[in-house]
């Protein structure tokens, strides 16, 4: 019988395995702690017991990557290695293939994607340590109503950054049709100059019914872009209104782009999105629209004074820019770098990122729980019947939901 390497590496620790290691004798159990982990399908539930918190964490960290790799076939492991090495070497084709992999809804590909993400995350942590704990990239969320000039601004802004030796990744999110389920994905066609730039990468993605103007995997795509060496990541979101600020939970700075004829300051406050922004940019401030742009700027400056401060060291700014002429673009970048430096110095940026990871974890749990609920054997067959009764008016939606939840709970 082959003894696991962990038992040989930690001989003074007590290990029990439900199938093979039934009983071990040791001097004292008073200060011992338990750590449980699940091995792949071909192994059984294992309970590791060790005598220190440090060793417990070490066991968990060492076991997790090994368990994930063991569950992959040789072909899948070669795919992960190829994408990982190509990604950290800066190959755009490998980055594109990796994002396609994490966007897949197929269960097997999801597992392969998580192994790849874990490797990229480990590499990301090592690079941050070499960078004295500072973030490797600046994540910027960009939102605004249709017609505000978001794509034109991104092309002008991105070209300015690449000329300054930055590497820019653009994650452009397009809304999916509620009837056909399709998405146009036409943002890249508006950025002809930037799409030809070798220091830029543009990735349009569909929302696929996800609320908040972002895709299910936007956060993971940001991590892959940073692993590929891109130091500025722009997330352009769908202008959908109050659900828009979901993107604020995954970026360092949230920018709202508005046209000069965007209504008065009351419209901005009503939308709710204005409470989440760090910078408001009034675009198209050129030609005959200079005067309306100045008026909107003054109104939003006064509106900002009524809002509660989200940061102790930063008050949201309102600027006028023109993506067409390039006026104000450099000043806007200066304001953005000032924001980043202040947040880094105060420690708010690192704390914000940690909080975002927790929020995004619970968002994914909610989404996966709904999918698990729909596919559960106890409710899968009942859903069409109860939906039909709700449509005919026989059952109220609340009662139908209670019946499905009860069936789900009884089936657990």
């Amino acid at each position: 019988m082959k003894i696991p390497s962990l038992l040989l590496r930690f001989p003074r620790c007590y290990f029990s395995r439900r199938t093979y290691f039934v009983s071990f004798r040791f001097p004292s159990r008073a200060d011992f702690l338990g750590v449980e982990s699940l091995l792949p399908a071909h192994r059984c539930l294992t309970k590791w017991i060790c005598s220190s918190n440090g060793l417990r964490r070490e066991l968990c960290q060492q076991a997790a990557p090994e368990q994930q790799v063991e569950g992959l076939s040789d072909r899948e492991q070669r795919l992960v290695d190829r994408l990982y090495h190509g990604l950290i070497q800066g190959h755009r084709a490998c980055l594109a293939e990796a994002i396609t992999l994490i966007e897949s809804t197929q269960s097997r590909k999801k597992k392969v994607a998580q192994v790849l993400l874990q490797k990229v995350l480990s590499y990301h942590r090592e690079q941050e340590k070499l960078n004295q704990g500072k973030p490797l990239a600046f994540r910027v969320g960009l939102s605004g109503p249709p017609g505000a000039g978001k794509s034109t601004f991104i092309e002008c802004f991105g070209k300015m950054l690449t000329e300054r030796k930055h590497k820019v990744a653009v994650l452009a999110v397009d809304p999916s049709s509620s009837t056909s389920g399709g998405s146009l994905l036409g943002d890249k066609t508006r950025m002809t100059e930037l799409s030809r730039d070798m220091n830029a990468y543009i990735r349009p993605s569909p929302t696929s019914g996800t609320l908040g103007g972002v895709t299910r995997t936007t956060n993971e795509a940001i991590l892959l872009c940073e692993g590929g060496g891109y130091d500025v990541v722009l997330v352009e979101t769908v202008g959908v209104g109050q659900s828009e600020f979901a993107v604020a939970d995954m970026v360092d700075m949230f920018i709202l782009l508005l046209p000069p004829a965007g209504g008065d300051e009351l419209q901005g406050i009503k939308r709710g999105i204005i409470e989440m922004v760090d910078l408001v940019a009034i675009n198209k401030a050129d030609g005959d629209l200079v005067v309306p742009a100045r008026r909107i700027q003054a109104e939003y400056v006064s509106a900002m004074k009524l809002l509660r401060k989200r940061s102790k060291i930063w008050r949201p700014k309102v600027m006028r820019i023109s993506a067409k002429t390039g006026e104000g673009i450099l000043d806007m970048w200066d304001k953005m770098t000032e924001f980043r430096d202040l947040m880094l110095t105060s420690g708010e940026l690192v704390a914000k990122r940690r909080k975002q990871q927790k929020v995004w974890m619970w968002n994914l749990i909610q989404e996966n729980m709904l999918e698990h609920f729909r596919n559960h054997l106890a409710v899968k067959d009942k859903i069409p019947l109860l939906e039909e009764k709700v449509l005919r008016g026989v059952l109220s939606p609340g009662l139908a939901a209670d019946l499905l939840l009860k069936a789900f709970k009884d089936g657990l």
Side-chain angles (χ1 to χ4, degrees), residues 50-103:
C50 53
S51 57
S52 69
N53 287 332
L55 185 56
R56 178 179 61 180
R57 286 193 297 270
E58 185 178 354
L59 280 170
C60 293
Q61 290 171 358
Q62 290 177 358
E66 292 174 2
Q67 292 164 9
Q68 289 177 330
V69 171
E70 285 178 6
L72 300 182
S73 65
D74 292 340
R75 181 181 178 184
E76 290 168 340
Q77 187 58 51
R78 286 196 300 269
L79 173 65
V80 169
D81 293 339
R82 178 176 64 82
L83 291 180
Y84 171 72
H85 292 296
L87 185 69
I88 63 176
Q89 290 171 11
H91 298 162
R92 292 198 296 180
C94 291
L95 174 58
E97 192 175 348
I99 295 178
T100 302
L101 181 66
I102 66 169
E103 287 180 348

Side-chain angles (χ1 to χ4, degrees), residues 126-145:
E126 291 175 3
Q127 294 300 310
E128 281 192 342
K129 287 180 182 178
L130 295 176
N131 198 34
Q132 300 177 347
K134 297 179 181 178
L136 300 173
F138 187 29
R139 305 171 182 174
V140 181
L142 185 67
S143 176

Side-chain angles (χ1 to χ4, degrees), residues 324-384:
K324 184 179 179 181
T325 63
E327 184 180 355
I329 300 296
L330 283 173
D331 293 337
M332 185 174 175
W333 174 241
D334 291 339
K335 289 291 182 186
M336 293 167 66
T337 52
E338 179 188 351
F339 170 85
R340 180 186 60 187
D341 294 340
L342 284 174
M343 297 291 279
L344 271 174
T345 305
S346 66
E348 284 191 30
L349 185 60
V350 176
K352 185 178 182 180
R353 285 201 176 187
R354 289 174 180 170
K355 184 179 178 182
Q356 287 172 351
Q357 294 299 316
K358 178 183 174 182
V359 170
W360 199 246
M361 179 193 75
W362 282 107
N363 288 342
L364 292 175
I365 288 174
Q366 289 177 4
E367 181 184 332
N368 291 328
M369 280 299 296
L370 182 59
E371 183 181 353
H372 178 65
F373 176 81
R374 289 178 178 274
N375 296 324
H376 197 273
L377 294 176
V379 298
K380 190 174 183 179
D381 296 332
K382 293 182 174 65
I383 289 176

Side-chain angles (χ1 to χ4, degrees), residues 175-188:
S176 298
S177 170
S178 58
T179 53
S180 65
S183 186
L184 185 60
L185 302 179
D187 285 323
K188 195 171 182 178

